[in-house]
Amino acid sequence: ALAAGVEFGVSRVAFPDVPPEGSFEQLRLDARAFGEYRFTETLAGNLTVNYDQVNGPVVAQENLDYKRWQAYLGPRWFM
């Protein structure tokens, strides 16, 4: 049996009155995909992939933008 799912999110985060630049905003994106295959009734293999991204201005000479991928692969044993 195969099980799968996908999630996605978008958010805008505002930081008011951050000295010395003043206020600024960030746009954040995230996504998650999950898949699992059950070989037997007690044993399965699964894979999860996560993605995060932040888009924002340069604050105090620091670039706060980033993109990050994460992946997890492993077995699952049902009792």
Side-chain angles (χ1 to χ4, degrees), residues 5 8 38-39 54 64:
F8 180 78
R38 292 188 181 178
F39 303 107
V54 172
L64 302 179

Side-chain angles (χ1 to χ4, degrees), residues 15-58:
F15 297 91
D17 301 324
V18 177
E21 279 76 19
S23 64
F24 69 96
E25 297 178 355
Q26 289 182 330
L27 177 65
R28 298 180 180 187
L29 307 171
D30 62 87
R32 177 176 171 249
F34 172 80
E36 178 175 273
Y37 182 75
R38 292 188 181 178
F39 303 107
T40 66
E41 289 195 20
T42 59
L43 182 63
N46 57 50
L47 171 67
T48 301
V49 178
N50 295 324
Y51 176 73
D52 296 305
Q53 178 178 337
V54 172
N55 298 325
V58 174

